[in-house]
Amino acid sequence: MMRRFNRARGGALRGDAGVGTLEYIGIITLAAVLITALLLSVTSLRAREHVAAAACAIAEAFGQGGGCGTGPDENRDPEDYIPPEECVVSSNGQDDSSSVTVVVTVEGGERWVIEQLGDGTYRLTRAREGGIGIGVGVGFDVSVTNDNETYGVGATADASAAIVVGGGESYIAKTPEEAQRILDHKRNDETKDLWFGDDNPLRDGADWVNEHLGGSNEYEQLDPDEWFLEAGIEGEASAGATALVATADAEATLEAYLGRTSRKDGTSTDYLRASMGISGGLEGHAVTASGYDIYKQFTLDGEAAAVMEVDRDEDGNPVAFRIRSVTSWNPVGDESYSGAGGIDGDPSYTERVVEIPLETAADRELATRVMHAAGVPYYPGITDSVDVPQALLDKLDPAGLGEELGGVAANRGFIYEQTYTTSSNEDAVNAQGKVGVELGLNVASIESTRSTTGYRYYDGTGFVDRPECVV
């Protein structure tokens, strides 16, 4: 099965040469500006259309006009505004990772998540990531993290860059228990691959024994509903200190990825995603004047990300263009007598999505302008030429470009927004020494959950709630 899966993934990426470089960090800023301008303008856009329609109707009543219509939405039913992308109600997952550092860092790990979708099904996604990079710095760090609290000693300052390649697959299940079984059996399949190989008489014998001892190979051979491959770059700069029961740190990150998601029905989605973040603060144990142990946390985390996506049909033709913007700003200043678990520091995220169809030359031209304004010079099937004067104008007036994008999305596409909170629990062991180069070992396990707190979409007149998507 693994060989079939690998062949399918390889075929999904053939023909991608020339997609462009990974210098797409500009999409973060542009996405935020475009979508902000769109949200501010879409209501006024609808208001202007309603006023014009009312004026036309009055003129027609007095015999001074005619041909008044309901505008470009007249043939669009209310349900046509509901985004086709299945929403995530809640999820839980785990990230197991490790790294060994001797001048050059080699990383690897497994991530998995089970999501409850709005249609009542569950989606299991498994991802694997490997990377190689170089880090330089000074200092040392020997610490243990348990339930998000770090204990140890050390002081470090470093900067690093890495090239990362990852991939994974998703499976749709009817229940969370079925999703968990798929996860367990896929791990069994990989263990058998390691010991017996993938397709040979020895492996066939191992499967036969498993079934006759009451086991099952059903989920081991299950083909994924979709799979993805991506490659990118990551950069990080950090400084920190750990003093037995207190830590102080500051960190900045920057990432950019290019990838493709393929589905078993032959359709696919190309995407460019970029993110950047900054975090820092002080947290740890202290003793009150009365002699009680108290945990204090004063931290600030901020993150911004953006994704540009192009949906393709089974023949590879582009059919839709989508841009996402995700932001989070999470200041925490609190204290607790019950440790880190007593502080509510769960971040909240806002994700906004705008989608337009790629049915006409004008649609593709608008998508091209958005990409060029973000610094993406070429994208197969869309950016067939470069209009340098127009690209310069759009860079100078992204709000105007956002209004144009919003007009098309409001009439023939989709506009939606969701908010969600995440929480995590980390256990880790870290031992590093740095004197110009890095020497170290890190093993970490992070459990995470997500809950959607709000979801609304544009229905032709304004934004309405989508209650089936909220916890």
Side-chain angles (χ1 to χ4, degrees), residues 28 32 251 253-255 273-279 300-306 325-331 347-350 420 422:
I28 300 173
E251 181 179 30
T253 60
L254 186 63
E255 302 176 350
R273 70 177 174 92
S275 64
M276 59 185 180
I278 186 171
S279 64
L300 177 63
D301 297 293
E303 184 177 352
S325 172
V326 183
T327 56
S328 176
W329 190 249
N330 186 44
S348 177
Y349 294 83
T350 300
Y420 54 89
T422 63

Side-chain angles (χ1 to χ4, degrees), residues 140-331:
F140 69 96
D141 184 17
V142 180
S143 61
V144 174
T145 301
N146 180 45
D147 289 338
N148 291 331
E149 296 189 37
T150 300
Y151 306 90
V153 293
T156 61
D158 62 37
S160 64
I163 298 174
V164 179
V165 178
E169 67 275 354
S170 296
Y171 305 84
I172 300 298
K174 296 179 180 179
T175 65
E177 292 77 18
E178 182 183 18
Q180 184 64 51
R181 284 198 296 272
I182 294 174
L183 174 63
D184 294 338
H185 283 229
K186 288 298 176 181
R187 287 173 169 170
N188 289 342
D189 181 56
E190 291 179 350
T191 300
K192 291 180 181 178
D193 287 346
L194 178 64
W195 285 97
F196 308 112
D198 185 28
D199 188 9
N200 56 59
L202 186 60
R203 173 60 186 272
D204 293 340
D207 289 340
W208 183 88
V209 170
N210 181 44
E211 290 185 344
H212 283 75
L213 290 178
S216 172
N217 302 316
E218 175 188 2
Y219 291 126
E220 292 182 14
Q221 305 305 319
L222 185 66
D223 288 328
D225 292 282
E226 62 181 37
W227 54 94
F228 66 92
L229 283 176
E230 65 177 24
I233 54 174
E234 296 180 355
E236 176 183 338
S238 63
T242 303
L244 295 181
V245 295
T247 62
D249 65 89
E251 181 179 30
T253 60
L254 186 63
E255 302 176 350
Y257 287 88
L258 167 67
R260 169 173 289 185
T261 297
S262 301
R263 304 175 188 87
K264 61 183 181 181
D265 64 1
T267 63
S268 62
T269 298
D270 297 334
Y271 61 88
L272 305 166
R273 70 177 174 92
S275 64
M276 59 185 180
I278 186 171
S279 64
L282 175 66
E283 54 188 301
H285 291 268
V287 179
T288 66
S290 304
Y292 293 103
D293 177 77
I294 191 170
Y295 188 86
K296 296 186 177 185
Q297 179 176 338
F298 301 94
T299 56
L300 177 63
D301 297 293
E303 184 177 352
V307 186
M308 285 186 179
E309 303 175 359
V310 175
D311 291 340
R312 298 181 183 273
D313 62 19
E314 58 273 14
D315 296 320
N317 301 311
V319 294
F321 171 75
R322 190 163 45 250
I323 185 169
R324 301 176 187 268
S325 172
V326 183
T327 56
S328 176
W329 190 249
N330 186 44

Side-chain angles (χ1 to χ4, degrees), residues 84-110:
E85 181 181 54
E86 201 59 63
C87 56
V88 177
V89 180
S90 63
S91 68
N92 64 84
Q94 185 164 320
D95 181 352
D96 295 316
S97 62
S98 62
S99 66
V100 178
T101 306
V102 181
V103 182
V104 175
T105 301
V106 179
E107 300 176 321
E110 179 192 62

Side-chain angles (χ1 to χ4, degrees), residues 376-418:
V376 181
Y378 173 68
Y379 213 91
I382 299 178
T383 56
D384 297 326
S385 61
V386 179
D387 186 340
V388 176
Q390 184 63 59
L392 292 175
L393 290 174
D394 291 333
K395 284 180 178 290
L396 294 173
D397 184 22
L401 181 60
E403 287 196 24
E404 291 188 51
L405 185 68
V408 176
N411 290 331
R412 298 190 294 116
F414 305 94
I415 304 172
Y416 48 107
E417 173 188 276
Q418 59 179 326

